[in-house]
Amino acid sequence: MSNSRRSLSAHHIFSIVVVALAIFLLITQGQRMASDVVQWQQRQILQAGNDALRADKQRLEQRKRQVQSDDYIESVARQDMKLAKPGEVAVIGGSARAPQPTNAPRDGWGQIFGH
């Protein structure tokens, strides 16, 4: 009997070791999978940010080409800085209109002086 007890105990110990090893491997794999998911999400966020930066860079490069063009520089010089080319006359004025007379009753001084 003593042999069967030892054999049974060794069998139980072996089973416990196998189950413990299986649990350890499952936990380790679960942690790796969770880590992979987090890294994938971070990669997606970084890729989206990178795409946005590329789009901004293209927009800014286009804007840079625009503001360096002769047409744009001339437009700013004429409209914003009120400059003219040699031989041209720069006219600076507004669209304000002169006040129009009204038929309002005259005050006391206007009646005295006939205004």
Side-chain angles (χ1 to χ4, degrees), residues 15-42:
S15 296
I16 291 171
V17 169
V18 168
V19 169
L21 183 60
I23 291 172
F24 173 76
L25 290 175
L26 285 173
I27 291 172
T28 303
Q29 279 301 107
Q31 289 174 338
R32 282 187 190 155
M33 288 175 61
S35 176
D36 288 346
V37 168
V38 168
Q39 287 178 356
W40 178 81
Q41 289 173 337
Q42 289 174 340

Side-chain angles (χ1 to χ4, degrees), residues 62-112:
Q62 181 180 2
R63 179 71 174 148
K64 179 182 174 186
R65 285 190 300 272
Q66 177 189 4
V67 300
Q68 289 177 337
S69 73
D70 291 341
D71 290 339
Y72 180 82
I73 293 170
E74 182 177 349
S75 170
V76 169
R78 289 180 181 275
Q79 293 174 8
D80 297 343
M81 302 173 79
K82 309 297 185 218
L83 298 176
K85 288 182 178 180
E88 292 181 342
V89 176
V91 178
I92 300 174
S95 61
R97 298 172 51 186
Q100 300 295 319
T102 63
N103 293 332
R106 297 180 181 173
D107 62 4
W109 287 105
Q111 290 175 357
I112 294 173

